[in-house]
Amino acid sequence: MSREGVISKISGPVIQAKKMRGSHMGDVVKVGKEKLIGEIIRLNEDNATIQVYEETTGIMPGEPVLDTGTPLSVELGPGLLKSIYDGIQRPLPLIMHKTGDFVSRGVDIPALDRKRKWSFDPLIKSGTKVEGGDIIGELEETTLVTHRVMIPPNLRGTLSWIAKKGDYTIEEPIAKVGSDGKSEVVTMLQKWPVRKERPFFKKLDPTIPLLTGQRVFDTFFPLARGGAAAIPGGFGTGKTVSEHQLAKWSDAKIVVYIGCGERGNEMTDVLKEFPALKDPETGESLMNRTILIANTSNMPVAAREASIYTGITLAEYYRDMGYDVAVMADSTSRWAEALREISGRLEEMPGEEGYPAYLGSRLAEFYERAGRIKTIGKGSREGSISIVGAVSPPGGDFSEPVTQNTLRIVKVFWALDTDLADRRHFPSVNWLRSYSLYLDEVRSFREKGIGKDWYALRREGTKLLEKEAELQEIVRLVGPDALMPKDRIVLEGARMIREDFLQQSAFHLVDTYCPESKQYELLRIILDFYAFMKKAVEKGIRVEELLESKSKEQIARLKTVPNEEFEERFKEVRERIKAEEKKLGAG
């Protein structure tokens, strides 16, 4: 039952309304004559404090506030993939057709098309006992994804009727479930409150890596499926490009990309690039498995806060179907700024640097919705949500509250470095500051899949980079030529790992995506060449001769060799190294 109140006070996106007795926390309200979308965030007797998700300029005290009596929810069903939404799940392309290039206030367009018909194929028969999460049918949502139509989580009973195979809209009945003498109609459209986590049966250990095709992430600092990672860095360090790469090439079935408070041109890049990009597995357009939520910096601040929850709820829906979902949040700092502004308008006691005292718990609520799970319902479906959150600390200062609170929650920390970015080293992940706490969990999976010595190679590579860091102070004082030959070889080996392995071009046709087997062989041959150089130096061979090696040049080119030619070229380089060992007597 809807209730109507009256605006009594306006402070930017925060509005006070009176005569709201009977309303509930979290209810969606329509504010003013233009019916702007808002959410009740505080109640005091019959006074409600409302967070408005649209621009409030021109709204006046005395205008009506209509309480819808329902929480902020998203629409779930076929048609989500390939869509572009704003922070509260309004379809931006349809809004553009209706209002022009700029979003008008009070626009109310359904998130999913009510007229489009989907070819529904039933999978069970009437008379079957069903419960929340059971799959009753399926349809082709895109050429890459089969949409599994599920019984809503809170419904159980006997399937008294199910529609025949045919074309239906999302609002047409496709089944009826009877329980306790009552019958409920099931459609392909579900609604779910964004601030409430969708239920699951059991959380599973994160033992399977999320492969991204990016060598520094997959080999040195891996993220597990169902894990959470943070990618912090100052302005210009490559956060957005890194998240684009992860969204493009991760082996998750579904990608939800949330542009939270980012610049319009960055979201434009995503909107232009993704339809043109091909999925590495199928060759189809990446948009066929992607949902974009565009909430740019010039959109209302309050909507940033909702965009994070909208994105994670859409991800949970596909996770419940049994899919692996990757969520890219760019950036959580902008979301935290929205929390800070709303908190300030509410005159709450500020925490560190003006952020609300509950910043850490809000971040934890978001990241804890990641995980690899066993779904509710019959069968043993597994699904996962992996979250990568970009953090934008002012001036690259990792001691600020958003970065520090995020660090306490996530298990993977990909620290971007301004110096590396200035040297055009991409991805500019600092290998000395970054870490992954999923290494032990994914180790056995990687060793079984690509090589028993995978972990040993990674450890040897990181040790070499650490040795290089120790020698850098001496190099700055006396120069590399004054070092002992064995130390010069350490510098050369570390340089090869940095430039020929960790550095990866996002815009190179081949190097933008590196399969895991190629990553393994690249690291192995670099470390084999380093071992050869060590032996050669011990036998008295001059370092200069080794630095002029033709094998070294060929190793540097291997990462850009097309994947189908890599094995043959790899063998050629190995043979050349052996020949050089013989020639120099270092074998």
Side-chain angles (χ1 to χ4, degrees), residues 396-566:
D397 176 17
F398 288 179
S399 66
E400 60 88 40
V402 182
T403 309
Q404 287 301 307
N405 279 290
T406 304
L407 266 175
R408 295 187 187 105
I409 303 156
V410 301
K411 287 193 171 183
V412 176
F413 183 61
W414 293 324
L416 300 185
D417 190 283
T418 305
D419 290 339
L420 286 173
D422 290 344
R423 298 205 302 263
R424 298 294 184 265
H425 179 110
F426 178 85
S428 59
V429 175
N430 186 312
W431 46 86
L432 299 174
R433 297 179 75 177
S434 302
Y435 61 82
S436 170
L437 300 181
Y438 293 116
L439 261 175
D440 291 334
E441 279 93 340
V442 304
R443 177 178 173 178
S444 60
F445 186 92
R446 297 305 295 274
E447 287 180 340
K448 282 178 190 172
I450 55 174
K452 287 184 179 179
D453 57 345
W454 174 82
Y455 186 80
L457 287 175
R458 182 207 167 273
R459 186 172 56 190
E460 190 181 344
T462 52
K463 279 184 177 177
L464 197 54
L465 291 167
E466 285 166 6
K467 282 182 191 173
E468 181 201 34
E470 290 168 11
L471 291 169
Q472 284 301 331
E473 193 63 38
I474 303 168
V475 171
R476 287 190 198 98
L477 291 171
V478 297
D481 295 338
L483 293 175
M484 292 175 66
K486 65 174 185 178
D487 290 335
R488 289 180 66 189
I489 292 305
V490 167
L491 291 182
E492 184 57 24
R495 185 204 62 77
M496 289 178 73
I497 290 175
R498 284 190 287 104
E499 295 181 10
D500 304 338
F501 186 81
L502 295 180
Q503 197 167 349
Q504 188 168 353
S505 172
F507 302 105
H508 191 280
L509 197 61
V510 174
D511 198 34
T512 186
Y513 175 80
C514 188
E516 57 176 337
S517 57
K518 186 175 178 180
Q519 295 182 32
Y520 169 74
E521 297 294 2
L522 269 175
L523 184 57
R524 190 157 66 108
I525 202 166
I526 289 170
L527 292 171
D528 284 351
F529 187 77
Y530 168 67
F532 154 60
M533 289 194 296
K534 270 175 70 176
K535 282 182 193 173
V537 164
E538 285 166 8
K539 292 195 174 183
I541 294 165
R542 291 171 59 246
V543 174
E544 284 73 19
E545 283 186 67
L546 297 170
L547 297 182
E548 291 169 6
S549 163
K550 291 286 182 187
S551 300
K552 189 163 70 73
E553 289 179 25
Q554 289 186 329
I555 289 170
R557 295 194 192 105
L558 276 176
K559 65 181 180 181
T560 57
V561 171
N563 297 331
E564 60 273 13
E565 299 172 19
F566 179 76

Side-chain angles (χ1 to χ4, degrees), residues 228-356:
I231 183 162
F235 177 76
T237 52
K239 295 183 298 297
T240 301
V241 180
S242 297
E243 287 225 321
H244 287 191
Q245 287 296 95
L246 292 166
K248 290 172 194 173
W249 308 122
S250 68
D251 65 348
K253 185 71 174 178
I254 309 290
V255 174
V256 179
Y257 191 96
I258 308 167
C260 179
E262 284 305 295
R263 296 165 191 83
N265 62 319
E266 291 178 353
M267 281 310 300
T268 303
D269 285 344
V270 177
L271 300 177
K272 283 184 176 178
E273 281 180 27
F274 273 51
L277 287 166
K278 303 297 179 189
D279 182 86
E281 295 293 323
T282 61
E284 298 279 344
S285 170
L286 272 177
M287 276 303 290
N288 287 341
R289 60 182 183 90
T290 303
I291 304 170
L292 296 177
I293 296 173
N295 188 263
T296 56
S297 54
N298 62 334
M299 289 181 176
V301 170
R304 294 183 197 174
E305 200 263 345
S307 64
I308 292 283
Y309 295 104
T310 297
I312 198 71
T313 308
L314 299 180
E316 285 174 346
Y317 179 60
Y318 283 95
R319 175 206 68 185
D320 292 349
M321 293 183 200
Y323 290 126
D324 296 309
V325 187
V327 175
M328 306 294 154
D330 187 12
S331 88
T332 54
S333 292
R334 307 281 176 263
W335 172 70
E337 285 168 10
L339 285 181
R340 181 167 62 183
E341 176 159 342
I342 299 299
S343 177
R345 301 276 185 183
L346 293 172
E347 298 178 357
E348 294 173 336
M349 182 69 75
E352 192 179 354
E353 293 189 22
Y355 288 103

Side-chain angles (χ1 to χ4, degrees), residues 200-204 372-376:
F200 55 85
F201 174 66
K202 181 185 177 184
K203 245 185 185 174
L204 304 171
R372 181 167 153 254
I373 59 105
K374 190 166 275 192
T375 64
I376 57 171

Side-chain angles (χ1 to χ4, degrees), residues 198-218:
R198 283 176 66 88
F200 55 85
F201 174 66
K202 181 185 177 184
K203 245 185 185 174
L204 304 171
D205 292 334
T207 55
I208 303 170
L210 181 78
L211 300 176
T212 65
Q214 311 303 301
R215 292 184 289 268
V216 68
F217 300 140
D218 290 349

